[in-house]
């Protein structure tokens, strides 16, 4: 089965809010004096939508690791697969996208782990309001994961199937990373050369 590229509509986080909002607006036209076959089904639907919203909020507080947006709380309990640096004539380096949104987290990673550290790749990550799945990048210098951005579209397309297949088995890949820039805005570069050995079947867990 190929890795999904988008969330199912029912898994899209803002959907319950939108449904409740539309129904609340519709209450202006559905009043007690409305026909019973309109009034009572509408109220049942409104109560069900509010319950759906509440259940979603409660589930959102029960943080899994990684959570529904691909953020990691810690590496404890995760099976980490190493994709080490490989010596080659041409390095396979990929810049991380959206780092401008995560400068505080990158600052902390730089402070605790230095410029050269590692990053864990998390498939099926996403941004709030987005229905698109992406591969999240979690810097792990100092032992605490910090979200630094996502793989770019072209790189995502290359490694999506491999990383997703490993994640379904509970395994997440760690690659060498480097934080660039002496001051903000920092960038992050990943050494993805070792992923080729994983694709060839050379998987080893940390």
């Amino acid at each position: 089965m190929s890795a999904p590229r988008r969330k199912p509509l029912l898994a899209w986080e803002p959907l319950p809010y939108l449904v409740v909002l539309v129904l609340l607006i519709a209450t202006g036209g559905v009043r007690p004096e409305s026909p019973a076959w309109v009034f009572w089904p509408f109220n049942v639907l409104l109560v069900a939508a509010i319950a759906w919203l509440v259940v979603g909020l409660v589930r959102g507080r029960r943080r899994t690791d990684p959570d529904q947006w691909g953020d990691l709380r810690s590496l404890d309990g995760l099976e980490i697969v190493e994709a080490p640096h490989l010596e080659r004539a041409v390095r396979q380096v990929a810049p991380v996208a959206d780092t401008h949104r995560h400068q505080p987290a990158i600052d902390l990673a730089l402070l605790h782990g230095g410029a050269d550290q590692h990053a864990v790749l998390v498939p099926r990550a996403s941004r709030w309001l987005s229905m698109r799945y992406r591969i999240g990048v979690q810097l792990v210098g100092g032992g605490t994961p910090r979200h630094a951005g996502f793989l770019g579209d072209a790189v995502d397309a290359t490694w999506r199937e491999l990383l997703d297949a490993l994640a379904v088995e509970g395994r997440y890949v760690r690659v060498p990373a480097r934080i660039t820039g002496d001051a903000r805005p920092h960038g992050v570069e990943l050494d993805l050369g070792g992923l080729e050995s994983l694709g060839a079947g050379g998987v080893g867990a940390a």
Side-chain angles (χ1 to χ4, degrees):
M1 181 181 296
S2 61
R5 299 187 181 187
R6 299 176 67 83
K7 299 176 185 176
L9 180 60
L10 292 179
W12 187 43
E13 294 84 2
L15 182 61
Y17 297 90
L18 295 176
V19 171
V20 170
L21 177 61
V22 170
L23 291 175
L24 288 176
I25 293 173
T27 57
V30 180
R31 301 182 179 277
E33 58 270 19
S34 300
W37 62 271
V38 173
F39 179 75
W40 291 111
F42 175 82
N43 278 277
V44 169
L45 183 60
L46 178 58
V47 170
I50 293 174
W52 179 26
L53 176 59
V54 171
V55 169
L57 291 173
V58 172
R59 285 181 178 175
R61 291 172 182 168
R62 297 178 183 174
R63 290 175 58 86
T64 56
D65 195 26
D67 67 16
Q68 60 185 329
W69 294 291
D71 279 335
L72 294 177
R73 291 185 298 164
S74 74
L75 300 183
D76 296 339
L78 298 181
E79 184 177 352
I80 301 300
V81 178
E82 295 290 350
H85 167 71
L86 298 178
E87 293 294 340
R88 58 181 65 212
V90 179
R91 292 182 62 211
Q92 194 167 343
V93 175
V96 175
D98 286 2
T99 53
H100 63 284
R101 300 177 182 272
H102 304 281
Q103 291 296 305
I106 295 172
D107 280 338
L108 288 173
L110 181 62
L111 176 64
H112 293 283
D116 292 302
Q117 51 182 280
H118 287 84
V120 173
L121 305 180
V122 184
R124 303 196 194 188
S126 66
R127 288 178 53 201
W128 172 252
L129 298 180
S130 175
M131 292 189 67
R132 183 162 64 103
Y133 282 132
R134 304 172 75 181
I135 298 173
V137 177
Q138 300 277 335
L139 292 170
V140 293
T144 300
R146 295 180 173 90
H147 185 50
F150 301 90
L151 293 188
D153 292 342
V155 181
D156 183 299
T158 300
W159 300 112
R160 181 190 305 120
E161 300 294 337
L162 170 65
L163 296 174
D164 192 79
L166 291 171
V168 168
E169 299 173 355
R171 297 188 287 175
Y172 296 88
V173 176
R174 180 165 54 196
V175 299
R178 171 173 292 176
I179 299 174
T180 61
D182 296 328
R184 288 191 184 188
H186 296 291
V188 178
E189 295 179 345
L190 304 179
D191 182 349
L192 302 181
L195 291 177
E196 294 180 0
S197 62
L198 303 186
V203 178

